[in-house]
Every structure is written in C-alpha cells, then in structure tokens.
Amino acid sequence: MTKMTISLPDSLADYIAARVTSGKYSDASAFLRDLVLRDQENHKLDDAELRDVLKKAEQSGSSDRRIPDILADAKAKLRGHL
C-alpha cells in the first residue's frame, strides 16, 4: 500500500472530519478510498465502449426530437446520477 500526503483547504478537511464523526467512515483514509472507488466506477467507459456507443448512435439514424427536448432529457438523467 502506498502512503500519500495531500493538502486540502480547511473547509474540505472539516467536511471529511464531519463524515468520519458521523460514523460512516472509520477515518479520513476510509472516506477518501470510498470517494476514489466511486469515481472509478463512474468513469469505466473505456475507448472501445465509447466507439461502440458512437457506432450505435450513428446507425440509429436521424431523430425527429428537437434539440431542447434532447438537452432537457440529458440534464434530467445527469441530475439523477449526481
């Protein structure tokens, strides 16, 4: 295991301390490990998957949906994942 030293603004350090105090995490390292693991899960789309998604989108043809409707749907989906 590698040891890292990081610098954070006081407000972020206080936030981490509050999360640890809440009992969900045993210490700051556990909180940061969980944060990094969640970030990894959210970014698993690799190049091959991206090419596949783009190929399928191209093959699906043109849409009759309006751009504002597409953007509204995309924003709603993003809000659901945050």
Side-chain angles (χ1 to χ4, degrees):
M1 187 173 294
T2 301
K3 182 177 180 177
M4 296 179 74
T5 302
I6 62 169
S7 299
L8 297 171
D10 291 340
S11 60
L12 291 180
D14 293 342
Y15 178 80
I16 293 170
R19 297 295 285 151
V20 171
T21 302
S22 76
K24 182 169 181 174
Y25 300 97
S26 58
D27 56 27
S29 292
F31 173 78
L32 292 171
R33 271 192 302 276
D34 184 53
L35 189 63
V36 170
L37 289 172
R38 288 174 189 238
D39 185 66
Q40 283 180 331
E41 287 296 316
N42 288 330
H43 292 90
K44 281 194 171 181
L45 189 65
D46 65 16
D47 290 342
E49 289 174 310
L50 184 55
R51 275 191 223 92
D52 187 48
V53 167
L54 291 173
K55 184 178 178 179
K56 287 178 182 175
E58 187 177 59
Q59 291 172 346
S60 72
S62 297
S63 173
D64 58 353
R65 295 174 62 205
R66 297 179 18 187
I67 291 175
D69 297 331
I70 295 169
L71 288 173
D73 288 348
K75 288 178 183 179
K77 286 180 184 176
L78 285 173
R79 280 193 293 271
H81 285 98
L82 297 177

